[in-house]
Amino acid sequence: MARDKSIIKKLGIIADKIIALEEHYSNFSDEQLRAKTDEFKQRIQENSESVDDILVDAYAVVREAAWRVLKLKAYRVQLIGGIILNSGDIAEMRTGEGKTLTGLFPAYLNSLTGKGVHIVTVNEYLSQRDSEINGQVYNFLGVTVGLNGRGLSKDQKRQAYAQDVTYTTNSEIGFDYLRDNMVYSFGAKVQRGLNFAIIDEADSVLIDEARTPLIISGGSSNRANMYQAADQFAKTLKQTDDFDIDLETKQVYLNDIGMEKANKFFSVKNLFDVKNTELFHLIMNALKANFTFKEGVEYAAQNNEIVLIDQFTGRIMEGRSYSDGLQQALQAKEGVAIEEETATLATITYQNFYRLYSKLSGMTGTAKTEEEEFIKIYNTRVVVTPTNKPIIRKDEIDLTYATKNAALKSLIIDLKELNELGRPVLIGTTSVESSEQIERYLSKAGLKFEMINAKNHNREAEIVEKAGQRGAITLATNMAGRGTDIKLTEETRQLGGLFVFGVERNEARRIDNQLRGRSGRQGDPGNSRFYISMEDELMVRFTAPKVRQMFLRLGDEAIKSAMFTRAITNAQKKLEGLNFDQRKNVLDYDNVLAQHREAIYSQRDEILKQEDLKLVLSRFQYTTAFELVLKNSELVRGESTINAEMLIAAVDNSFVKPGTFKKSDFAHQDKVKVAKMISDAMMEFYKERIDHVPDEVSKEIERRTILQSLDKFWTRHINLANKLRSGIYLQQYAQNNPLHEYIEEAARLFNKMKIDTAAEVIENLSQVVIREEERNTSPMASRNNRPVIEISEKDIDKILTDINLSKDEFTRENVQKRFEELIKEASDNKNDEATKKLLFQQEVLKGLMNEIDRVRSGAGSQSLNVNLSQKDVEVIFKKFGFKPGDEVDTKKVESKFKKLSAAVDKDANPKELQRLLFEKEVILNVGPQIAKAKKEFVVEDNSGNIKKKIKTSGIDIDDVDDSEQVQSKSKIG
């Protein structure tokens, strides 16, 4: 705290400078104040000034704008909070100190860089509310605001993220990141980078939910009967007889009798046999579901489904489910519909996601007790911001009772006294079950009250708003993250303010502090008191049975002891330490997968951005070739030697053209050189297979094939790594460090994943069959209802070779003379077949020469269809500044033709001018037809199964029909 005071003192000097500019900016017109935004942007983006250089001026401008628009003038402490946030730290600001307004300052300042700012809240209600309030100020200053939400389309999300400031929820922004790394086109991404995040309720997001994985899952497998069987078995067991529960860690362990019962129930000899791993996992989940999870505490059964309850706020958590089969175990327990299991396609924890930001900051009412964790994991300090007015709330010593019944009876007596006085009271509980228990006591006492919990949170804002009125009694599951202040009336302020009753202590001190903090905002009077019983979960976990037995002698009397209160606080500290160690342990393991994830996502982006993927394919081909060389090597006199016969059999017709290699080619060659020879041959083989396919189609096929294999093996790697992690603890019995063993084994799996990916990509592309979809009609199939002969360059070359004439000798006179000689020779030899062939070839070349004469005379092409290759067309279009499939603008073509022809010396190079004229005609005649007609190419496997359909001409995501694309859904584990 001493360090905080020195920081606050320094920041206070800056805040005073901001306040000193109040008079200066109050004289500005709205337009002049708005113009400051453009000036600041110029100073940052053009003059290379940092955000810190303009902080004082920028904050002063925002302070004045907020006063004009919202009629709110930021206090000195709010400015200090804003400076803390800009420095990338956590600002601890008490309830009611105006965190919403505080976040406005750093968000505006950092938006000036043009890189985007994300303001993260714990639910969509707060996102929408804050974006609407602060959005008025942003709009006034010319800064754009976006609101991201769960139900938005991709285009709407992209639009939201494109704004200067984006409001979003903590889970949705993480899911968007994962989904962005599953797209098949770079333009399909919605986010534009992770620059600066301001997290509201930072302790809830970064500490309480740090271990929570965001999961994108796909595929399915249904084992409902197995879950039901495991649940039936679990319900036959009795605690202590068949299993033990570790209350401190909430783990369930089968004892010897329980194991024997499991063997009999499932008709297996040994439950711990490796082939029964899945069965053991199902049983353990069933035991956890039945004996450590309670309906109304961790989850609720509603509308034939299991919904999870936020342990810190009591809210229903929409879209969340337990992973690893625990959700299905709970569904079996409660007799609701059992979901299909899905495989994890992509996952990241909140810890690792938020550490991806260039700058991270947050604000909350209680975070100082967790500062060590913020520093070690997020590299952010927690700075306690002083309150605007002194806190005069009285926090009373805890009252400790032997039983829950005694504690609640005492609470009701005290509550009646306060209610008769007219003082508003807030009762905070730790679970829905606890709030429903107190509800029964309140109803029995005839007290009128309002209740907020997971089963009744839709009227939350309305109830909280009235909680400070005379005689109001509000019963709420933990108040963290509610986002609405309890405001007193003048009458209730005179009566002593809000009295907060806490029913049992929470696991973390800061959750208790959050509850206390609902009273005494902005210098208001108030009180807080906790009613504790020895039957509370915290007491059961951390006190000896003898101590609890001694308390029973008290009857309904309470102990009011500062020493006992300190003992409870110490138990909370111990639990906080345990939870921190668990989170740190999870992070150590998750860091390994995070490194792999960053490598894969970086490679994915590279593939999405690259125009030509031949370099990527060549690397894959070399990897595959080297693996084939290793697989087809054998030990000869203790040395690994290539078996040329086996290697040729492995690559022939599968990866290279048959007969490409002979055994002698590999003689006396090292493995690296042989792998290079094979990979070069692979590329030649592949290029020949796609020679007839337009570049845009082949590139799309390559891109999708690579990405789908990469995603497939990455998904497999994630699931393998998770299974490895669940059993790696056994390494400690062999005196090995489990983490070190996990790192080494995960690295081996990751390398194998890369090799498997390369092999599948090359195998698929080497074996794939690409053909153009047959169509009933074609715009190029006929001209004026007359048959048209399609002639390729290869056909012309072959005819010239047959008649022994070079391209340089290709003139009307030479062609006519040569055919006369050859036809006479064939007639003399009475070779009718040769004569027919020569006459046909003569007509072909005659038609070609007539077409060339027409083009030269400017008449254009009306009768002969000259078939240019795809590459020829692309080259011609590129020369004139177009792509095949673009709309052809005649004026642009004519303008480009004039520029190109002006650069040609007509006398010295008349052929070049003729070529340009021909190319212009190609674009004007062929261009519109290409733009109208999208060819469709079908990609098949060896068995003839259609895998993809791809249309040419400006391929977008809708032009690809892909049966291999996995359907996915998102959930929070």
Side-chain angles (χ1 to χ4, degrees):
M1 292 298 285
R3 189 206 64 189
D4 283 5
K5 285 178 182 175
S6 66
I7 293 171
I8 296 297
K9 190 176 179 181
K10 286 178 186 174
L11 300 184
I13 295 168
I14 300 171
D16 291 337
K17 289 179 182 176
I18 297 165
I19 293 168
L21 290 170
E22 181 179 337
E23 189 178 343
H24 173 68
Y25 284 115
S26 65
N27 294 321
F28 275 42
S29 67
D30 288 356
E31 290 72 24
Q32 286 174 314
L33 212 57
R34 160 69 184 82
K36 292 297 288 184
T37 298
D38 295 328
E39 180 196 315
F40 293 147
K41 283 182 178 178
Q42 187 177 9
R43 285 170 65 183
I44 289 173
Q45 296 174 17
E46 294 178 23
N47 301 352
S48 300
E49 290 186 54
S50 70
V51 288
D52 293 330
D53 294 333
I54 64 167
L55 183 145
V56 173
D57 273 327
Y59 276 31
V61 166
V62 176
R63 189 166 182 259
E64 178 60 30
W67 173 245
R68 294 186 190 185
V69 176
L70 303 175
K71 294 303 173 195
L72 295 171
K73 186 152 282 183
Y75 300 130
R76 184 173 182 268
V77 291
Q78 288 174 308
L79 295 172
I80 290 171
I83 299 166
I84 292 167
L85 293 176
N86 180 63
S87 63
D89 287 321
I90 307 296
E92 180 175 292
M93 299 178 71
R94 298 297 175 93
T95 301
E97 292 298 310
K99 290 190 282 289
T100 302
L101 184 62
T102 300
L104 183 62
F105 292 87
Y108 170 78
L109 177 61
N110 286 270
S111 73
L112 301 170
T113 63
K115 295 176 182 175
V117 175
H118 297 157
I119 299 180
V120 182
T121 66
V122 292
N123 59 54
E124 292 195 352
Y125 161 72
L126 292 176
S127 283
Q128 186 172 350
R129 185 200 69 178
D130 291 358
S131 67
E132 286 171 358
I133 294 171
N134 287 347
Q136 298 172 61
V137 182
Y138 293 126
N139 291 332
F140 177 84
L141 290 170
V143 170
T144 57
V145 187
L147 175 63
N148 180 39
R150 192 177 171 198
L152 300 186
S153 67
K154 276 204 163 190
D155 285 337
Q156 290 170 323
K157 281 179 174 288
R158 198 173 294 114
Q159 183 67 20
Y161 283 115
Q163 307 310 308
D164 297 320
V165 177
T166 306
Y167 283 83
T168 182
T169 61
N170 56 328
S171 57
E172 196 56 30
I173 195 170
F175 281 132
D176 288 337
Y177 169 77
L178 291 176
R179 283 189 285 257
D180 272 358
N181 285 288
M182 295 173 71
V183 297
Y184 289 112
S185 161
F186 198 79
K189 289 193 171 198
V190 298
Q191 292 182 345
R192 56 176 178 138
L194 304 174
N195 174 48
F196 177 45
I198 301 170
I199 302 177
D200 192 15
E201 301 294 348
D203 62 322
S204 176
V205 175
L206 300 178
I207 303 294
D208 298 337
E209 301 198 27
R211 289 174 289 174
T212 304
L214 301 170
I215 298 165
I216 305 281
S217 58
S220 63
S221 62
N222 200 330
R223 298 190 299 173
N225 58 334
M226 292 294 290
Y227 283 105
Q228 287 163 346
D231 182 68
Q232 287 166 12
F233 168 68
K235 285 183 166 75
T236 66
L237 304 181
K238 293 180 181 176
Q239 192 176 343
T240 67
D241 289 351
D242 305 314
F243 64 89
D244 299 305
I245 298 177
D246 185 337
L247 292 171
E248 201 164 306
T249 60
K250 288 193 170 182
Q251 293 296 320
V252 186
Y253 304 99
L254 282 174
N255 57 28
D256 291 341
I257 297 170
M259 290 176 202
E260 190 58 40
K261 284 185 177 180
N263 289 337
K264 283 183 182 177
F265 190 93
F266 291 100
S267 304
V268 295
K269 287 184 179 179
N270 180 9
L271 183 62
F272 293 96
D273 193 299
V274 68
K275 66 183 179 185
N276 295 324
T277 303
E278 288 294 325
L279 175 61
F280 178 71
H281 185 66
L282 288 165
I283 292 170
M284 295 313 290
N285 272 339
L287 289 170
K288 279 185 191 176
N290 278 280
F291 301 107
T292 67
F293 283 75
K294 293 180 183 176
E295 205 276 339
V297 181
E298 285 90 358
Y299 69 92
Q302 293 181 358
N303 304 321
N304 198 34
E305 64 175 354
I306 298 294
V307 290
L308 305 195
I309 298 171
D310 189 328
Q311 292 301 286
F312 296 95
T313 64
R315 294 176 188 272
I316 290 288
M317 298 192 289
E318 295 293 341
R320 299 200 184 191
S321 62
Y322 290 116
S323 55
D324 211 22
L326 185 54
Q327 185 80 3
Q328 285 82 357
L330 289 169
Q331 288 162 345
K333 172 191 173 183
E334 297 297 336
V336 301
I338 298 175
E339 294 174 3
E340 291 183 336
E341 282 182 77
T342 53
T344 300
L345 303 178
T347 179
I348 193 168
T349 59
Y350 282 122
Q351 276 177 334
N352 269 312
F353 172 67
Y354 287 108
R355 295 197 307 168
L356 294 171
Y357 277 89
S358 303
K359 185 159 76 171
L360 180 68
S361 65
M363 45 192 175
T364 179
T366 48
K368 195 65 181 177
T369 56
E370 312 290 347
E371 184 172 28
E372 181 190 358
E373 187 164 350
F374 277 111
I375 291 171
K376 285 185 176 177
I377 293 176
Y378 302 103
N379 196 28
T380 59
R381 300 173 299 181
V382 177
V383 182
V384 179
T385 310
T387 54
N388 185 47
K389 293 178 181 177
I391 296 172
I392 61 171
R393 182 191 68 240
K394 292 176 183 174
D395 296 327
E396 299 179 9
I397 294 171
D398 298 348
L399 296 177
T400 309
Y401 297 84
T403 64
K404 191 80 169 178
N405 180 50
L408 295 182
K409 280 199 297 186
S410 177
L411 181 145
I412 295 295
I413 292 166
D414 295 343
L415 186 58
K416 280 182 175 178
E417 287 179 15
L418 292 168
N419 193 244
E420 284 170 10
L421 292 172
R423 278 189 75 175
V425 178
L426 169 69
I427 306 169
T429 69
T430 57
S431 68
V432 175
E433 184 184 46
S434 179
S435 67
E436 288 177 345
Q437 184 183 11
I438 295 165
E439 178 192 10
R440 290 192 290 271
Y441 277 81
L442 292 170
S443 299
K444 191 176 179 183
L447 292 165
K448 188 181 176 184
F449 64 96
E450 289 281 10
M451 184 169 78
I452 312 168
N453 66 16
K455 296 181 177 179
N456 170 35
H457 65 281
N458 51 343
R459 291 178 53 240
E460 181 181 308
E462 177 197 337
I463 294 169
V464 172
E465 207 173 305
K466 296 175 182 176
Q469 295 179 5
R470 181 184 174 90
I473 299 173
T474 309
L475 175 60
T477 313
N478 202 298
M479 291 293 291
R482 296 298 179 194
T484 309
D485 290 336
I486 298 173
K487 293 177 182 177
L488 301 176
T489 64
E490 194 53 47
E491 182 186 8
T492 53
R493 194 175 281 107
Q494 295 298 323
L495 289 169
L498 181 71
F499 207 122
V500 172
F501 285 169
V503 180
E504 81 176 87
R505 289 286 201 105
N506 288 276
E507 286 188 358
R509 289 169 291 165
R510 59 192 166 76
I511 309 297
D512 292 341
N513 293 338
Q514 283 170 3
L515 181 60
R516 291 187 199 273
R518 295 293 157 181
S519 173
R521 63 179 293 280
Q522 286 293 328
D524 285 342
N527 299 73
S528 72
R529 182 192 300 154
F530 276 85
Y531 293 78
I532 297 167
S533 86
M534 297 308 288
E535 293 175 353
D536 293 346
E537 188 179 355
L538 194 69
M539 296 295 102
V540 172
R541 287 174 71 177
F542 288 100
T543 58
K546 283 184 180 179
V547 176
R548 296 199 293 275
Q549 202 68 31
M550 282 170 58
F551 263 83
L552 288 173
R553 297 174 193 167
L554 294 171
D556 289 350
E557 293 298 312
I559 284 182
K560 193 174 183 180
S561 164
M563 186 180 76
F564 200 79
T565 300
R566 281 197 299 273
I568 294 169
T569 303
N570 288 334
Q572 286 177 310
K573 284 181 182 176
K574 183 181 177 185
L575 199 51
E576 285 166 5
L578 271 171
N579 288 337
F580 173 46
D581 289 342
Q582 283 182 356
R583 288 191 291 266
K584 185 75 172 65
N585 186 48
V586 167
L587 184 63
D588 289 338
Y589 283 92
D590 198 44
N591 279 343
V592 178
L593 204 58
Q595 291 169 3
H596 298 171
R597 185 190 303 112
E598 284 176 34
I600 290 295
Y601 287 177
S602 174
Q603 188 175 5
R604 249 187 145 273
D605 282 348
E606 182 188 335
I607 291 161
L608 289 171
K609 288 176 185 174
Q610 281 188 16
E611 277 292 315
D612 191 353
L613 292 166
K614 295 296 185 291
L615 182 62
V616 176
L617 286 179
S618 67
R619 292 204 300 262
F620 281 5
Q621 284 167 339
Y622 179 78
T623 300
T624 305
F626 194 79
E627 284 301 307
L628 284 168
V629 171
L630 291 178
K631 282 179 185 174
N632 292 285
S633 296
E634 55 191 9
L635 281 176
V636 177
R637 297 179 189 143
E639 196 173 311
S640 179
T641 307
I642 297 169
N643 185 321
E645 194 173 329
M646 283 169 58
L647 182 56
I648 291 169
V651 298
D652 259 12
N653 209 34
S654 295
F655 298 101
V656 302
K657 276 172 64 177
T660 301
F661 295 111
K662 303 186 293 292
K663 286 168 71 174
S664 58
D665 293 334
F666 303 146
H668 312 297
Q669 302 283 3
D670 63 47
K671 291 183 174 67
V672 172
K673 195 168 181 181
V674 171
K676 185 72 175 72
M677 289 162 60
I678 293 171
S679 65
D680 289 344
M682 283 177 173
M683 183 60 83
E684 285 178 29
F685 182 56
Y686 173 64
K687 282 181 176 176
E688 279 188 23
R689 289 182 71 86
I690 61 164
D691 188 49
H692 66 291
V693 181
D695 268 6
E696 57 180 335
V697 174
S698 62
K699 284 175 183 175
E700 185 62 24
I701 291 168
E702 288 162 6
R703 199 179 313 280
R704 281 190 163 253
T705 303
I706 293 170
L707 291 175
Q708 282 171 343
S709 291
L710 194 63
D711 291 347
K712 171 185 167 182
F713 285 102
W714 170 240
T715 299
R716 190 174 294 176
H717 179 70
I718 290 171
N719 289 292
L720 279 174
N722 286 337
K723 285 181 179 175
L724 172 67
R725 185 165 156 183
S726 65
I728 202 72
Y729 72 93
L730 295 170
Q731 286 288 340
Q732 63 194 4
Y733 296 117
Q735 304 301 309
N736 294 327
N737 184 318
L739 180 60
H740 291 171
E741 295 298 319
Y742 177 76
I743 291 168
E744 286 184 19
E745 187 62 23
R748 189 188 68 76
L749 288 172
F750 187 62
N751 287 331
K752 186 176 185 303
M753 181 208 80
K754 291 192 286 186
I755 291 167
D756 290 344
T757 302
E760 186 177 86
V761 168
I762 299 310
E763 187 176 344
N764 286 348
L765 289 176
S766 298
Q767 300 301 313
V768 77
V769 177
I770 306 169
R771 60 175 175 81
E772 188 177 341
E773 182 88 300
E774 290 181 12
R775 301 195 176 196
N776 295 330
T777 59
S778 168
M780 301 294 284
S782 67
R783 189 69 55 84
N784 297 330
N785 297 319
R786 290 180 297 167
V788 177
I789 299 170
E790 298 282 340
I791 308 163
S792 69
E793 276 189 356
K794 285 182 180 178
D795 296 330
I796 303 297
D797 290 342
K798 189 171 187 310
I799 293 171
L800 292 174
T801 303
D802 287 350
I803 65 173
N804 198 20
L805 204 65
S806 69
K807 284 186 178 180
D808 294 333
E809 298 170 316
F810 185 66
T811 64
R812 190 178 291 275
E813 292 76 23
N814 288 343
V815 169
Q816 192 171 342
K817 184 181 175 185
R818 186 69 183 132
F819 271 112
E820 283 173 0
E821 291 170 2
L822 291 170
I823 290 167
K824 185 176 182 302
E825 186 180 326
S827 297
D828 291 344
N829 293 330
K830 297 183 180 179
N831 190 339
D832 294 340
E833 286 298 317
T835 304
K836 283 179 185 177
K837 183 179 178 182
L838 286 166
L839 288 168
F840 174 77
Q841 289 175 332
Q842 186 180 25
E843 284 301 311
V844 168
L845 292 189
K846 185 179 174 184
L848 177 61
M849 288 184 287
N850 289 341
E851 179 64 12
I852 292 169
D853 287 344
R854 286 188 184 89
V855 171
R856 283 175 177 168
S857 66
S861 171
Q862 296 301 323
S863 58
L864 185 70
N865 188 14
V866 178
N867 188 3
L868 296 166
S869 72
Q870 178 74 17
K871 286 179 182 173
D872 292 336
V873 173
E874 287 174 4
V875 169
I876 293 170
F877 273 69
K878 191 174 181 182
K879 185 188 282 191
F880 279 76
F882 293 96
K883 286 181 185 175
D886 288 351
E887 290 295 327
V888 176
D889 187 326
T890 308
K891 288 181 181 177
K892 281 186 181 178
V893 175
E894 292 291 353
S895 173
K896 188 68 175 177
F897 173 73
K898 284 178 183 176
K899 282 184 184 177
L900 292 170
S901 58
V904 175
D905 187 334
K906 298 174 182 63
D907 298 324
N909 199 354
K911 286 185 179 179
E912 182 59 28
L913 189 63
Q914 291 168 2
R915 179 189 290 274
L916 282 172
L917 188 64
F918 174 74
E919 289 172 343
K920 182 186 83 168
E921 292 298 323
V922 167
I923 292 175
L924 291 174
N925 286 284
V926 178
Q929 294 180 53
I930 295 175
K932 282 179 189 173
K934 283 188 175 184
K935 288 184 180 178
E936 190 170 86
F937 283 80
V938 174
V939 182
E940 299 176 345
D941 61 16
N942 277 339
S943 306
N945 300 315
I946 295 175
K947 294 293 183 183
K948 300 175 181 66
K949 286 185 180 180
I950 299 176
K951 296 174 186 174
T952 61
S953 180
I955 293 170
D956 62 29
I957 206 75
D958 298 322
D959 289 330
V960 182
D961 178 10
D962 194 344
S963 66
E964 294 179 298
Q965 191 165 339
V966 179
Q967 298 302 308
S968 66
K969 62 179 181 179
S970 57
K971 65 177 180 178
I972 304 178

